[in-house]
Amino acid sequence: MIKYLDLKSVTAQHDSEINEAVQRVVESGWYLQGAENKAFCKEFASFIGTAHCVGCGNGLDALTLILRAYKEMGVMQDGDEVIVPANTYIATILAITENNLKPVLVEPRIDTFQINDTRIEEAITPRTRAIMIVHLYGKCAYTDHIGDICRRHNLRLIEDNAQAHGCHFGNRRTGSLGDAAAHSFYPGKNLGALGDGGAVTTDDKTLAEMITTLANYGSSRKYVFDYKGRNSRLDEVQAAVLRVKLRYLDADNARRRDIALQYAERIHNERLLLPSMEYCKQSVHHIFPVLCKQRDELQKYLLEHGVQTMVHYPIPPHRQLCYKEMAELQLPITEQIHAEELSIPLNQTLTQEEVETIIDVLNKF
Ligand SMILES: *Cc1c(COP(=O)(O)O)cnc(C)c1O
């Protein structure tokens, strides 16, 4: 059986260096807010290309803290609107509603899965304060048109970079394209920890300081609390592990791209719609999405032939019970993606033999 993702082999790639890093933390006797966190944040900011990086507990916290900080800074107020792609993972939308802000869902493009930038302006109202783009599946969602809309309407641009570590837009990396970006280091992401982890990157010093304070109980001086904050930290073990894995991220992403290009070039099946070669060159391939009208049949067929797959995601956010207030929305492109998408295995630990099997089985469906 070819597993969808075998985290054990992902970790095994750099086994001895990871063990060394963990051991270093164990022996240091310092487990939170120490040298590893500081070093990782410096290295990650430099990798992404921003002046600041603040570590936090997970990707949802990173998203939530950015919006909370903007509220404390007076940029946003309760009830203000944030534009977001309708087909994102639910975390992006949870961060908005948790801050008493209103998510305004915009349809994606079916060929890129990214927010349709020609449909953003019709969603802007006097209450719109930000656009949250999501580099979904590892593909860059930013366009010059989006940057232009933000400038003309004075909107903050926030990136959800949970799925796109290492991705480029021209010479810049995703995570440095807007005013602030949220990152997740959930184990299955392209840059994954051995547990939870997250970070915010930004060039805005005031924002970085506010997020640091809010993530530390609302305190910037010991036992003095200026805000009703929370506790959200990237621990020393995770930071040390991430420092090792960051050094291999570009190489891992290059192997992912190599496999994706083989899929795009060599899978020929009229029942399947694959990402284009152009798409494949631009993505870091957190997920390789295939669209198929008989998605469930395809998933069963692949499993019977030894290939495990996943669906990202089976139910769109506006059809979830937790968002009953959005149940009336008509979002046909989003619904089509959720009905037809199947993610086939793609990660840097797949052997060429496994890649051949996957191509072969998909061609025979
Ligand atoms: C994984 C993910 C998150 C949340 O990250 P966690 O670390 O699991 O909280 C947010 N947005 C997107 C698009 C994700 O894929």
Side-chain angles (χ1 to χ4, degrees), residues 149-170:
I149 292 170
C150 288
R151 274 186 296 278
R152 278 190 289 108
H153 295 269
N154 189 28
L155 305 177
R156 293 296 192 281
L157 180 62
I158 302 165
E159 301 172 76
D160 180 340
N161 199 41
Q163 302 191 357
H165 306 128
C167 186
H168 279 93
F169 178 80

Side-chain angles (χ1 to χ4, degrees), residues 1-5 263 267 288 290 295-310 342-346 350 353-363:
M1 170 68 65
I2 301 172
K3 279 197 189 178
Y4 178 71
L5 176 62
Y263 287 164
I267 297 172
F288 190 86
V290 171
R295 189 257 319 275
D296 296 344
E297 188 194 325
L298 173 65
Q299 182 164 41
K300 190 161 161 274
Y301 176 87
L302 289 173
L303 194 62
E304 282 164 8
H305 292 80
V307 180
Q308 193 183 42
T309 58
M310 301 261 281
L342 190 70
S343 308
I344 62 178
L346 199 172
L350 286 182
E353 198 187 334
E354 288 171 325
V355 171
E356 299 293 340
T357 303
I358 291 164
I359 292 170
D360 193 46
V361 175
L362 277 157
N363 280 334

